[in-house]
Structures are given as structure tokens and as C-alpha cells.
């Protein structure tokens, strides 16, 4: 579990929900142009992108260093 | 984050359908954006400035900022934590803490401060919890958390983005502004908020021939590591063709802190009473006096670490027709504008001034409050002039930002310079969520 990211976010009640059926796509450091390019090309939807950002932090385990 | 938008997914789905049917509205179509919890949204999210006194308060109308984001096709993903009341409660506060949201941590070192008051917006953008965020600033509240969290922040000219629907401190200085990981993204977001196209300013060679003044007096010397980083940044600008005028001091720097404090105190009482008074009979509080009383009666939840001396001082102020207020406001404008930024810009025919935005993040200390060593936000904040933070480097793994600031309505020029600097240096590194900064030499 990514405790450090959980600590960062705090105690907010994050939305649950099924994980997006999103192909491997690294959100880290993604720019608006990156995201628009993927949405324009049909590889990404606003819904899937939003779902990714709403994911509970524990689901992101392994995405980042915990120091 | 302090609250997520329960309608975010349905909004996103509707925007997908619209894209499919009619094409995108523009570059923000379908892009999730977080906004600071002092910006009204007429939806199922509260707007509380982090205070339990406003728990349950749902705005009747969107702030202009929220209206424009929705019109641009952005998905309002949620609201970000902040220094409670945008840090206008106590002179012993801890930035990034609010009674409702708790403590915002710095993603580079979790025991360090995210600065404020747009703490959550800065930390969330840096931590890749969103693509873009909105902060607000009265003095330093966009640029400081941008600096300490390693992101780009634009504090625009006063009035460029209407502040209607933002829980206020002071109408003479309050403004919303974009926070993003890159200058290009911040420029896109500023464009959506203003209707202008700032992407035209994204010139990688923008530093060439630019006259950039280094504002040293009062803004260097508070941190050796910060000076080292910013000196190197200035040298980089010179290598990329900028003409450096050094020093280019603001002659009045440090001479309007008292008048600024007076103006904010008067305006806070007036402006907050107007905001709270317009919330309607169902609102939990209706005036600054009500907020002070609420804090007193909820001391354990609201004031476990610091009090409300700034609010109490503001409550004692008279109306905005008071001579003390009018004199202070005139002094602010004269010293920060005509005898301040305008004077040095004109004297040296400058395109922009640069100075350290802030030092590396300090360790959060809820017992003693903030101990920020210094910063350069005040001249642009009091003048109502634009200011852009870009990461200039790191000290012990902690981001240090440089501010580009200048004349009123010079956003396009400042974006050009900031973008060129960013592209030449590419300093930003994503945070690693370390429990503490690595201090091994």
C-alpha cells in the first residue's frame, strides 16, 4: 500500500468505483497536449481519465517510491 | 484534496459524448481540474475555505472561474485543501492546515510544508493527482506553493480573472490563477480563464534579447541554497541570450508591508461580510463576527494549533471610507506601482524582474507555526501585477522557484520568458514522497 501518497491526500473520502479499463498509460507528468492527443486519437476518454484520477491511492501501489 | 466531485464521472461522460458528436470545445475539453476550496461551485460540492464554520455551505452560483472552466469543457474533479481562510486567521498559523482538511504535506518531503495558501493545489499538481489546478493569491498564495511544490504558478494582473464567487481576503489584491506542471499547461489554463491565447507566447527562444533585472535588495540573502539556485538560473538566462541588469532593485521594497497589512485588514472585514451575507439564511455563518464566535465555540476542532488574532484585529476595523484605510491604499499603490515596479522597470527599460520566489520548504511545525525564511511575492501582489513561478532548481532535493514579474498586463511577455527558461533548463523532477528530505551531502 502506498502509505505516503495516502498521507499526502489525507483523510478525504475518495470515490470508489471500478478501475478504468485504461490501457497502460502513465499519468505522471502528462501534459494537457499529451492528454488531448490521446483523447483525439480515441486512445483515452475523459471518463477513463477522470476515473484514473479518482482512484483510491492504495490502488496505485507500486506507482511511486515511498522513500 | 478536501473533497471530490461526486458528479465528475457523469460530467466526463457527457463531455465524451459531446466530443464524439461535435468535436472538442478546446484544449481543456475533458481535462480534470482541481480547484481551491475557496472558489464557489454551484454543484454538490461545498465551498468552505477549509473552515468547519462553512461546513455544508453550497454556493448558489458558480464563481466566474468555475463558470469559465465548465464552459471550456474542463471536468471539475474536486476541491483542494488550503491554509484555512487563505491564511487570514492567525499570525502563528501553519500553512496548508485547515480545520476541515487537516494538514497538506509537501510531496517532496512529507514532513515539510507545502506553503500556502494554495497548498493543496500545488501539492496535488506536483503529485500528479490532477492535470491542472486553480489557486488563489492575495500575497504569495499561488507563487509560494508553486515554488515549494515544484510547479508553475501564474498570479495574474488584478482583475484579469474576475474574483466574483471566491471567498475573499481583499479585493485590492485577490486573484485566482493557474497552477500546472509546465508553463505551456499554465498558459492554456490561463487562456481558458481569460479568453486570450497565451500559447502564442510559448517561444523556446524567448529569452534572447530580453532585458531582465535582478531584484536583489530584500529578496536575496535569506537562504544560501536559494541564492545558489537562483544565481545559477540567472546565469542560464544570460547563456540563452537574455541581457541581465544586475542589480535592478525595487526602490521601495520592504516599505509598504505595514500599509498592505492595514488594507487587507479593512478589506477582509468588508469583503468577507459581503460574501457571507450573500449566502442566505441557511448558511451556518453570516459575518466575520459569526466566524470568530464559531471558532471560539469549536476551539478543539478549529484552534488546536493556532488562534485567530488576525480575524479579531480585522473585526475591529471601520468601514472602507475610513481615512486610515484610504491612506494605506494610496500608499500601497504609489510605493508598489509608480515608485516601485514601474520605476525600476522604466529606469532600466526592463521586460521583467526576477527574484527567488521562496526558499526550500521548511519542516512543518504545528507547535510554533510557519518559519518561512523569505520570499519576493509582495511587490507584485500589492501592485496587482503579474508574477510567474518556475522551478529553478533544487536544494537537498527540495524545489526552489524563481519568480518572473513585471508590468501590469504583461502576462504574455512573462509567459514567453518563463517558457524559454523552462525549456532551456527543464529543472522539474516529479516528487518521490520521501518521509523527509535527504540531507546527506
Amino acid at each position: 500500500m502506498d502509505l505516503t501518497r495516502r498521507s499526502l491526500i489525507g483523510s478525504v473520502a475518495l470515490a470508489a468505483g471500478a478501475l478504468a479499463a485504461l490501457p497502460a498509460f502513465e499519468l505522471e507528468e502528462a501534459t494537457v497536449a499529451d492528454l488531448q492527443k490521446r483523447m483525439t486519437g480515441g486512445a483515452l476518454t475523459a471518463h477513463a481519465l477522470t476515473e484514473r484520477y479518482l482512484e483510491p491511492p492504495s490502488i496505485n501501489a507500486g506507482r511511486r517510491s515511498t522513500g | 484534496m478536501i473533497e471530490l466531485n461526486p458528479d465528475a464521472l457523469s460530467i466526463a461522460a457527457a463531455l465524451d459524448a459531446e466530443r464524439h458528436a461535435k468535436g472538442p470545445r478546446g484544449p481543456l475539453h475533458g481535462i480534470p481540474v482541481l480547484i481551491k476550496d475557496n472558489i464557489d461551485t454551484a454543484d454538490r460540492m461545498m465551498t468552505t475555505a477549509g473552515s468547519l464554520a462553512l461546513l455544508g455551505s453550497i454556493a448558489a452560483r458558480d464563481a466566474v472561474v468555475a463558470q469559465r472552466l465548465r464552459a471550456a469543457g474542463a471536468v471539475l474533479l474536486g476541491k483542494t485543501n488550503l491554509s484555512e481562510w487563505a491564511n487570514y486567521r492567525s499570525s502563528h498559523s501553519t500553512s496548508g492546515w485547515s480545520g476541515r482538511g487537516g494538514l497538506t504535506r509537501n510531496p517532496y518531503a512529507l514532513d515539510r510544508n507545502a506553503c500556502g495558501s494554495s497548498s493543496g493545489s500545488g501539492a496535488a499538481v506536483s503529485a500528479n493527482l490532477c492535470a491542472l489546478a486553480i489557486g488563489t493569491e492575495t500575497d504569495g498564495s499561488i507563487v509560494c506553493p508553486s515554488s515549494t511544490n515544484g510547479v508553475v504558478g501564474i498570479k495574474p494582473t488584478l482583475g484579469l480573472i474576475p474574483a466574483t464567487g471566491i471567498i475573499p481576503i481583499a479585493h485590492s489584491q485577490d486573484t485566482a490563477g493557474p497552477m500546472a506542471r509546465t508553463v505551456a499547461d499554465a498558459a492554456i489554463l490561463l487562456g481558458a480563464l481569460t479568453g486570450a491565447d497565451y500559447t502564442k507566447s510559448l517561444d523556446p527562444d524567448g529569452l534572447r534579447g530580453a532585458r531582465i533585472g535582478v531584484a536583489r535588495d530584500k529578496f536575496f540573502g535569506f537562504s544560501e541554497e536559494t541564492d545558489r539556485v537562483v544565481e545559477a538560473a540567472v546565469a542560464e538566462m544570460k547563456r540563452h541570450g537574455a541581457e541581465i541588469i544586475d542589480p535592478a532593485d525595487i526602490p521601495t521594497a520592504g516599505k509598504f508591508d505595514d500599509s498592505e497589512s492595514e488594507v487587507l485588514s479593512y478589506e477582509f472585514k468588508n469583503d468577507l461580510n459581503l460574501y457571507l451575507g450573500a449566502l442566505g439564511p441557511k448558511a451556518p455563518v453570516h459575518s466575520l463576527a459569526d466566524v470568530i464566535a464559531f471558532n471560539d465555540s469549536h476551539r478543539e476542532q478549529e484552534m488546536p494549533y493556532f488562534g485567530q488574532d488576525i480575524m479579531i484585529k480585522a473585526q475591529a476595523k471601520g468601514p472602507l471610507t475610513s481615512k486610515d484605510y484610504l491612506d494605506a491604499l494610496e500608499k500601497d499603490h504609489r510605493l508598489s506601482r509608480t515608485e516601485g515596479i514601474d520605476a525600476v522597470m522604466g529606469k532600466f527599460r526592463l521586460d521583467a524582474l526576477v527574484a527567488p520566489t521562496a526558499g526550500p520548504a521548511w519542516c512543518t511545525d504545528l507547535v510554533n507555526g510557519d518559519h518561512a525564511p523569505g520570499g519576493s511575492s509582495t511587490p507584485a501582489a500589492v501592485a496587482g501585477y503579474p508574477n510567474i513561478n518556475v522551478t529553478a532548481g533544487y536544494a537537498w532535493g527540495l524545489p526552489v522557484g524563481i519568480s518572473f514579474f513585471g508590468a501590469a498586463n504583461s502576462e504574455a511577455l512573462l509567459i514567453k520568458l518563463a517558457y524559454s527558461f523552462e525549456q532551456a533548463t527543464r529543472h522539474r523532477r516529479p516528487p518521490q514522497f520521501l518521509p523527509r528530505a535527504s540531507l546527506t551531502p
Side-chain angles (χ1 to χ4, degrees):
Chain A
M1 183 163 60
D2 190 341
L3 285 173
T4 55
R5 190 163 181 263
R6 181 182 293 280
S7 299
L8 176 78
I9 296 169
S11 57
V12 65
L14 286 159
L19 272 172
L22 198 64
F25 169 53
E26 188 53 75
L27 277 185
E28 278 199 16
E29 304 300 290
T31 66
V32 170
D34 295 334
L35 298 171
Q36 282 298 346
K37 187 176 177 185
R38 293 185 67 84
M39 285 195 276
T40 301
L44 179 67
T45 63
H47 186 273
L49 179 61
T50 301
E51 205 164 31
R52 280 290 292 269
Y53 280 126
L54 291 173
E55 283 173 10
S58 58
I59 292 174
N60 293 312
R63 281 184 63 202
R64 356 176 158 264
S65 164
T66 57
Chain B
M1 282 182 269
I2 200 166
E3 184 171 2
L4 294 173
N5 186 353
D7 299 316
L9 287 173
S10 61
I11 292 168
L15 288 163
D16 284 333
E18 180 183 318
R19 178 192 291 269
H20 185 70
K22 296 191 282 189
R25 298 182 196 179
L28 287 193
H29 192 116
I31 301 293
V33 178
L34 286 170
I35 65 175
K36 189 175 175 180
D37 181 41
N38 59 352
I39 299 173
D40 283 349
T41 54
D43 51 22
R44 291 201 283 163
M45 291 189 286
M46 294 181 268
T47 305
T48 70
S51 171
L52 296 171
L54 282 175
L55 204 64
S57 182
I58 303 284
R61 285 173 294 280
D62 273 347
V64 171
V65 168
Q67 288 170 17
R68 292 182 179 177
L69 288 171
R70 290 189 209 272
V75 178
L76 298 190
L77 186 68
K79 298 210 174 173
T80 54
N81 198 19
L82 69 164
S83 312
E84 189 178 295
W85 296 107
N87 206 27
Y88 209 76
R89 200 189 93 186
S90 167
S91 51
H92 307 288
S93 65
T94 289
S95 288
W97 185 90
S98 72
R100 184 179 165 217
L103 179 66
T104 310
R105 297 172 191 271
N106 188 303
Y108 287 87
L110 297 172
D111 64 340
R112 288 185 182 258
N113 201 270
C115 198
S117 62
S118 306
S119 322
S121 296
V125 168
S126 190
N128 285 283
L129 300 180
C130 59
L132 302 166
I134 302 291
T136 67
E137 172 161 330
T138 306
D139 185 346
S141 285
I142 289 174
V143 293
C144 182
S146 296
S147 175
T148 57
N149 291 292
V151 301
V152 175
I154 301 179
K155 197 287 285 186
T157 302
L158 185 73
L160 185 68
I161 302 168
T164 307
I166 297 174
I167 298 178
I169 292 178
H171 60 264
S172 289
Q173 294 182 207
D174 291 351
T175 180
M179 300 172 79
R181 288 184 291 272
T182 67
V183 175
D185 282 359
I188 289 168
L189 185 49
L190 185 64
L193 295 173
T194 62
D197 181 5
Y198 292 101
T199 63
K200 293 175 183 170
S201 298
L202 302 178
D203 175 6
D205 203 30
L207 284 167
R208 189 161 305 283
R211 290 178 62 81
I212 294 177
V214 182
R216 287 193 177 271
D217 185 33
K218 304 287 190 293
F219 306 130
F220 282 70
F222 63 80
S223 155
E224 289 182 357
E225 283 293 290
T226 301
D227 287 356
R228 174 187 64 75
V229 168
V230 176
E231 296 287 7
V234 171
E236 281 291 332
M237 290 181 210
K238 189 171 184 179
R239 269 195 290 280
H240 287 85
E243 190 172 344
I244 303 298
I245 294 82
D246 186 5
D249 291 329
I250 298 171
T252 53
K255 295 179 180 173
F256 43 91
D257 293 348
D258 288 349
S259 56
E260 180 193 21
S261 174
E262 192 78 342
V263 167
L264 299 191
S265 195
Y266 272 96
E267 292 190 2
F268 180 68
K269 180 183 180 184
N270 178 79
D271 296 359
L272 187 65
N273 281 340
L274 287 174
Y275 176 87
L276 295 176
L279 288 180
K282 289 183 181 173
V285 287
H286 303 281
S287 67
L288 173 57
D290 286 353
V291 174
I292 291 170
F294 178 92
N295 290 340
D296 278 332
S297 62
H298 296 78
R299 187 167 288 273
E300 284 188 12
Q301 297 93 344
E302 271 297 345
M303 300 199 288
Y305 306 117
F306 53 88
Q308 53 178 340
D309 60 300
I310 291 177
M311 284 188 164
I312 292 169
K313 182 181 168 192
Q315 178 61 22
K317 294 297 183 187
L320 298 188
T321 51
S322 303
K323 184 174 187 306
D324 286 350
Y325 165 71
L326 295 170
D327 288 349
L329 186 61
E330 183 279 328
K331 183 181 175 185
D332 269 2
H333 288 166
R334 177 168 47 81
L335 293 187
S336 65
R337 295 175 182 174
T338 49
E339 296 178 19
I341 293 174
D342 295 345
V344 68
M345 299 281 292
K347 178 181 178 183
F348 295 114
R349 295 178 290 109
L350 300 176
D351 293 304
L353 289 157
V354 293
T357 306
W362 62 93
C363 285
T364 293
D365 178 357
L366 288 163
V367 175
N368 295 298
D370 285 341
H371 39 97
S376 63
S377 63
T378 296
V382 174
Y385 290 178
N387 190 359
I388 300 179
N389 174 78
V390 182
T391 302
Y394 292 80
W396 305 107
L398 301 167
V400 173
I402 187 167
S403 282
F404 294 78
F405 57 104
N409 301 303
S410 63
E411 280 82 358
L413 174 56
L414 297 180
I415 286 169
K416 177 178 163 184
L417 301 175
Y419 179 75
S420 179
F421 172 75
E422 176 199 56
Q423 295 302 302
T425 57
R426 295 184 181 274
H427 281 300
R428 176 177 156 80
R429 301 196 298 264
Q432 296 299 310
F433 307 94
L434 302 177
R436 61 192 67 81
S438 174
L439 301 182
T440 305

